[in-house]
Amino acid sequence: MDETRKPRILIADDDRDIAFAISKLLSDEGYECERAYNGAEAVEAVRRASFDLAVLDVMMPRIDGLSVMMKIRQSGNIPVIILSAKSEETDKILGLGMGADDYVTKPYSPAELIARVRSALRRYLVLGAGTQFVPGDRIRIGGLELNRAAKNVTVDGEPVKLTATEYKILELLMENKNRVFSPEEIYSRVWENDAYSVENTVMVHIRRIREKIEIDPKEPKYLVVVWGIGYKIEG
């Protein structure tokens, strides 16, 4: 990515006051923002321009936020933060399970939203940055290989498409083979935010990783749950 270019963020919310407030908040932090006021406008924005992150309200007219996120995922892996007035855990799990990187509940703290945007962009932009290959850039455990130079993952030679958040979780676990990480430690290390009631957030991301790297996610070969404690990569 051109380091002189400001990260571009799509903000989609049918409440114009909220969309404007988020845009102002993030613009003041140095980001370039574009607003959409319904799901159809958001989809059109993604079709005609490139973004580094999207903040999507769940309940939008014409096309809901989760459907917009699925359309984004068809063409790229930019981070998606879901913004919703719904605080029920099932709604949060649904959004994360469909591919969201993070979830913020209204009313949100401006400082919290900024922190989550920064964290998601760090993960994404680091993955997009070119790095020179040096020894140790490859981590191989059985047929599972993570290439830090290319920022990709393969299983038995076949490429695996991970989001930036999934990649960072897998990298952390593969770097520390056989070490058990609690959900709180994974969250604080990957999201770089304080960990509070994060078990379900981490669990959903772990489940998505297993679905992508395991032949049989119900009988995992690599990513193992240590019940009551956390997760580890075996090898």
Side-chain angles (χ1 to χ4, degrees):
M1 175 183 171
D2 181 359
E3 294 184 358
T4 64
R5 180 174 73 80
K6 294 180 180 180
R8 300 191 71 242
I9 299 176
L10 173 64
I11 300 159
D13 195 311
D14 60 318
D15 187 319
R16 289 174 179 261
D17 290 338
I18 290 177
F20 178 81
I22 295 174
S23 178
K24 178 70 166 59
L25 180 69
L26 297 180
S27 295
D28 288 347
E29 293 296 314
Y31 302 117
E32 182 180 331
C33 298
E34 180 172 336
R35 299 189 295 273
Y37 301 114
N38 60 59
E41 287 183 6
V43 171
E44 178 57 30
V46 170
R47 284 176 178 163
R48 60 177 167 75
S50 61
F51 294 92
D52 301 299
L53 182 141
V55 179
L56 307 176
D57 183 41
V58 171
M59 302 301 292
M60 289 190 291
R62 301 185 66 181
I63 304 176
D64 66 80
L66 296 181
S67 297
V68 173
M69 179 177 65
M70 296 303 291
K71 296 215 176 263
I72 290 174
R73 285 283 175 260
Q74 290 173 5
S75 58
N77 277 329
I78 68 168
V80 175
I81 296 176
I82 292 295
L83 189 65
S84 175
K86 295 182 177 180
S87 59
E88 291 83 357
E89 198 68 23
T90 52
D91 295 311
K92 180 177 181 179
I93 292 173
L94 176 61
L96 294 170
M98 292 177 67
D101 292 85
D102 214 339
Y103 195 104
V104 178
T105 304
K106 299 176 185 176
Y108 59 87
S109 156
E112 178 191 7
L113 181 59
I114 290 171
R116 290 177 184 271
V117 166
R118 284 176 177 167
S119 178
L121 281 171
R122 267 197 301 270
R123 294 192 299 271
Y124 177 66
L125 297 180
V126 165
L127 281 180
T131 55
Q132 184 177 357
F133 178 80
V134 295
D137 272 351
R138 294 177 186 269
I139 309 174
R140 183 180 292 112
I141 299 174
L144 179 64
E145 181 174 299
L146 183 145
N147 186 329
R148 290 196 186 95
K151 302 297 181 186
N152 63 24
V153 173
T154 59
V155 177
D156 298 329
E158 294 295 322
V160 177
K161 189 175 182 180
L162 300 176
T163 67
T165 302
E166 293 164 359
Y167 177 94
K168 292 300 292 182
I169 292 172
L170 186 60
E171 182 182 38
L172 172 66
L173 297 177
M174 290 182 70
E175 284 175 340
N176 299 275
K177 183 177 70 171
N178 294 323
R179 177 186 163 185
V180 180
F181 285 84
S182 69
E184 292 78 12
E185 186 172 6
I186 292 173
Y187 190 90
S188 63
R189 295 275 291 269
V190 172
W191 277 262
E192 300 179 15
N193 285 318
D194 293 337
Y196 176 74
S197 298
V198 299
E199 291 86 353
N200 282 331
T201 297
V202 173
M203 175 195 69
V204 172
H205 281 84
I206 290 288
R207 186 179 68 205
R208 281 164 39 192
I209 296 170
R210 290 169 86 178
E211 289 171 350
K212 295 177 181 182
I213 69 171
E214 302 285 1
I215 295 175
D216 182 0
K218 294 181 180 179
E219 296 290 338
K221 178 180 179 182
Y222 301 111
L223 213 174
V224 176
V225 178
V226 181
W227 294 108
I229 303 177
Y231 308 95
K232 68 176 180 175
I233 287 286
E234 283 191 344

